[in-house]
Amino acid sequence: MADNLVIVESPAKAKTIEKYLGKRYKVIASMGHVRDLPRSQTGIDTENNYEPKYITIRGKGPLLKELKKEAKKAKKVFLASDPDREGEAIAWHLSHALGPDNDYYRVVFNEITKDAVKESFKTPAEIDMQLVDAQQARRILDRLVGYNISPVLWKKVKKGLSAGRVQSVALRLVIDRENEINNFKPEEYWTIEG
């Protein structure tokens, strides 16, 4: 029987890591993010310090139910999502979605080898909130910019296009250039060489 639950992002990693860790560990894949901002609205409370409103991603309910059940049985829950900003956010979302009944340990490894995986479990850490905050800021900015600029794109360019923080800068450059062209006043001049 497994005393410890390990949650990774992909099923392929889950099988390999479970093999490395042995019988005391059950490894399950979250299949990426389990919570996100709602698709039908901004999901950002601009009146309340830009607080995001997260919901369970459609189709992830049964997986979350299974993860909660396994987390209740486990003595320890290890969150082993990828070692980047998105992975840290996935770990944070999992800890919130699974509830406060468990202690969550963050393990990070940059390679999936037996030595690297086992070594990471010797020194589990806490979730790095600076990385989580960085991911949330990026996501919130995408949403705020996208929800305000995308409707303009639909009217002016093509229905169904979306704009985020990167596309909005590119759009601004195109508009600025177009305005320069439209505002250009041709002046006649001559070059005389002697």
Side-chain angles (χ1 to χ4, degrees), residues 181-189:
I181 292 168
N182 291 335
N183 294 331
F184 178 73
K185 305 253 188 292
E187 293 180 18
E188 189 174 329
Y189 68 93

Side-chain angles (χ1 to χ4, degrees), residues 2 52 74 110 129 138 193:
N110 292 310
M129 286 309 297
R138 188 190 133 271
E193 292 181 23

Side-chain angles (χ1 to χ4, degrees), residues 37-175:
L37 300 169
R39 297 183 100 177
S40 58
Q41 56 192 12
T42 56
I44 312 296
D45 186 355
T46 55
E47 304 294 318
N48 186 20
N49 202 22
Y50 293 89
E51 191 67 34
K53 176 190 166 210
Y54 292 111
I55 60 168
T56 301
I57 294 173
R58 183 175 291 165
K60 294 283 184 142
L63 175 64
L64 266 178
K65 191 175 180 181
E66 179 191 353
L67 288 171
K68 283 180 184 179
K69 186 179 88 176
E70 293 298 331
K72 279 185 180 178
K73 293 191 281 186
K75 292 179 181 170
K76 291 182 180 178
V77 178
F78 294 93
L79 304 170
S81 47
D82 291 350
D84 57 13
R85 186 174 54 204
E86 287 295 320
E88 208 70 29
I90 289 170
W92 181 76
H93 282 294
L94 281 166
S95 70
H96 279 72
L98 298 178
D101 297 341
N102 294 87
D103 289 328
Y104 299 98
Y105 301 90
R106 180 77 169 110
V107 289
V108 177
F109 35 85
N110 292 310
E111 57 187 56
I112 303 178
T113 61
K114 191 172 189 174
D115 291 340
V117 170
K118 287 199 169 231
E119 192 61 36
S120 69
F121 278 81
K122 289 179 185 174
T123 56
E126 292 181 4
I127 294 171
D128 184 343
M129 286 309 297
Q130 288 187 330
L131 287 177
V132 173
D133 289 343
Q135 189 275 345
Q136 284 191 98
R138 188 190 133 271
R139 188 75 181 100
I140 289 168
L141 189 57
D142 268 348
R143 183 56 64 97
L144 292 174
V145 170
Y147 266 61
N148 290 320
I149 293 178
S150 292
V152 174
L153 282 177
W154 300 341
K155 286 179 189 170
K156 302 288 183 189
V157 182
K158 182 182 173 191
K159 190 83 173 148
L161 294 175
S162 66
R165 66 193 188 293
V166 174
Q167 296 92 335
S168 62
V169 173
L171 181 62
R172 174 65 188 258
L173 292 171
V174 169
I175 289 171

